Amino acid sequence: MPRPPAEPTLAVMTTLTERTRRTAIRAARLFDGVSGSMTRDPLLVLDGPRIVAVDHHEQPPPDADVIDLGDVTLLPGLIDTHVHLAFDASTDPVGALAVRSDTEALAAMAVAARAAAIGGVTTVRDLGDRGYLSLLLRGTEGLPTVVAAGPPITTPGGHCHYLGGPTTDPRRAVREHADRGVDVIKIMASGGTLTPGSRQECAQFTPDELHAAVEEAHRHGLPVTAHAHGTQAIIDALAAGVDGMEHVSFWTADGIDDRPDVIQQLANRRIVVGATMGLRPMPGAAPPPPVAARLPKIIANTRRLVETGAPVVAGTDAGIGPVKPHDVARYTLPFFAQLGIGPLEALRTLTSTAAAVCGLADRKGRLATGYDADILAVHGDPTADPDAMHRIAAVYLAGTPLEANQ
């Protein structure tokens, strides 16, 4: 006689009979990351780490636990396209990093990433760590999604050389980064303020070297974004075919260049510009005099980039000082306004647009069916009151509510 089928083991029975209940979140408003208006009285249904339904004026499913957050706005988790988790947002982030071992630095980076998440930043693109440490944070529970560049590629003694990326052979450096598994290549086309002896207006690599780096990166399927302050570095990076540029301030030795021709080329080529925006207000804090004197023209040039049609996102440079905490992305709405960008478009830029820049458009930056349940809930309506971004009611990472004291 045939043997009767074996009884399912306890593990199998558990799999067959137990199912985690879904979560249904009610709120007053919802911005889905792409629309030109808010959804009123939304119902957002989560099944584990994914969004499975976005409705309004609907009853929750019978198998869902209902959470009514009241007069809040649901937003996709914010996405910052330019952070430095290795810098601790202190008055001397470079010095603080220099005295930390890799183990200590990694622990401090996890704290920084956690602070970003608590502040509603659920995805970060780290554009400069030390020794590829940011790659070790990818996929860590309770931390934002990390898109990692590793140490920025720079010249010997060049900007941020102390992070471990100086080279005389950019092509070889790109290959090393690709072999280590980075998500994006960051190359220092110009100098910068965090490196003594480095000058923002000076180009660091030759046009041929930049072209070689871009060619090699694209061969490996990696996008390239270039740190570019000085006008010549911007021109060289443009000619090299980079996918994005950070800062794009048109910095000169004594001011800011007026180059509408280059701005038009950036717009025509659809080069993504990571505009350095967002500051946490602090008593007595003020930009250094060289920056303060140039700031009006930097803002004017960035506004012209927007008006000309260049894709501009918020690359905050989080971590480089006390006014740049790792959740500084939520302080950017007033800066978008200075560029002529309204609050809904600013929120779109901080979510779905930024997701596309990070290569995550298929699962991040939207409150839509099938997307990751990364959610920021704020009290009030940030399109009417930008300060609502700081009245955080809840943050969800992959469907799990984040507790500030965890």
Side-chain angles (χ1 to χ4, degrees):
M1 294 180 62
R3 297 176 62 185
E7 292 293 325
T9 65
L10 179 61
V12 172
M13 290 179 67
T14 300
T15 301
L16 293 175
T17 60
E18 290 188 6
R19 184 180 186 280
T20 303
R21 288 177 62 83
R22 290 187 284 182
T23 300
I25 303 175
R26 287 193 179 280
R29 293 162 297 276
L30 177 147
F31 174 64
D32 66 5
V34 294
S35 299
S37 62
M38 293 277 189
T39 298
R40 301 289 170 177
D41 301 314
L43 182 72
L44 188 65
V45 184
L46 317 182
D47 191 348
R50 298 285 182 271
I51 298 168
V52 294
V54 184
D55 297 309
H56 64 100
H57 300 297
E58 296 289 337
Q59 291 300 312
D63 65 338
D65 295 321
V66 180
I67 299 173
D68 192 335
L69 294 177
D71 184 22
V72 308
T73 301
L74 301 178
L75 307 165
L78 305 183
I79 299 174
D80 194 334
T81 64
H82 187 161
V83 309
H84 296 283
L85 296 175
F87 293 149
D88 63 1
S90 67
T91 56
D92 183 13
V94 176
L97 177 60
V99 299
R100 291 186 176 120
S101 67
D102 280 356
T103 299
E104 292 167 334
L106 186 61
M109 290 169 69
V111 170
R114 178 74 179 183
I118 291 170
V121 182
T122 58
T123 299
V124 297
R125 187 171 68 159
D126 190 306
L127 290 184
D129 67 14
R130 188 181 75 188
Y132 299 95
L133 291 175
S134 62
L135 279 66
L136 302 178
L137 295 178
R138 294 185 300 195
T140 302
E141 186 176 351
L143 298 185
T145 298
V146 177
V147 177
I153 296 172
T154 190
T155 54
H159 184 39
C160 288
H161 64 89
Y162 42 78
L163 295 177
T167 185
T168 57
D169 187 344
R171 188 182 293 274
R172 179 184 297 175
V174 169
R175 282 200 298 270
E176 178 189 324
H177 280 64
D179 290 344
R180 295 294 290 264
V182 302
D183 303 301
V184 58
I185 296 295
K186 167 76 174 300
I187 190 164
M188 299 301 204
S190 77
T193 57
L194 287 182
T195 307
S198 172
R199 299 185 63 85
Q200 285 172 268
E201 66 269 21
C202 295
Q204 294 198 152
F205 288 103
T206 68
D208 286 345
E209 288 171 329
L210 286 176
H211 183 268
V214 172
E215 185 179 71
E216 188 68 19
H218 288 174
R219 191 174 72 83
H220 288 278
L222 293 171
V224 180
T225 191
H227 165 105
H229 272 294
T231 303
Q232 190 59 53
I234 295 168
I235 292 170
D236 292 346
L238 184 63
V242 299
D243 305 282
M245 292 189 210
E246 309 304 311
H247 312 300
V248 193
S249 63
F250 292 93
W251 194 282
T252 69
D254 56 2
I256 297 295
D257 261 343
D258 184 18
R259 292 297 301 269
D261 58 325
V262 179
I263 286 173
Q264 187 65 58
Q265 290 181 60
L266 289 164
N268 291 347
R269 300 272 192 91
R270 305 295 296 165
I271 304 298
V272 176
V273 174
T276 312
M277 61 172 73
L279 294 171
R280 177 176 65 181
M282 297 186 68
V291 176
R294 291 170 169 85
L295 199 54
K297 286 204 69 174
I298 292 175
I299 294 171
N301 275 340
T302 308
R303 183 169 183 136
R304 182 177 287 177
L305 280 162
V306 171
E307 293 169 347
T308 308
V312 174
V313 295
T316 68
D317 230 356
I320 65 168
V323 296
K324 292 282 189 179
H326 291 92
D327 63 347
V328 72
R330 61 189 171 98
Y331 292 90
T332 57
L333 292 192
F335 292 83
F336 277 108
Q338 289 181 311
L339 304 179
I341 297 174
L344 268 176
E345 181 61 27
L347 292 173
R348 186 181 299 115
T349 303
L350 287 165
T351 54
S352 61
T353 301
V357 170
C358 293
L360 301 172
D362 60 336
R363 65 186 185 95
K364 299 286 186 185
R366 294 183 61 185
L367 300 182
T369 300
Y371 277 70
D372 291 354
D374 293 345
I375 305 158
L376 169 61
V378 298
H379 291 287
D381 181 355
T383 64
D385 175 15
D387 285 343
M389 297 296 289
H390 314 307
R391 299 193 293 270
I392 295 175
V395 176
Y396 286 76
L397 288 177
T400 300
L402 190 63
E403 301 293 338
N405 59 357
Q406 281 182 338

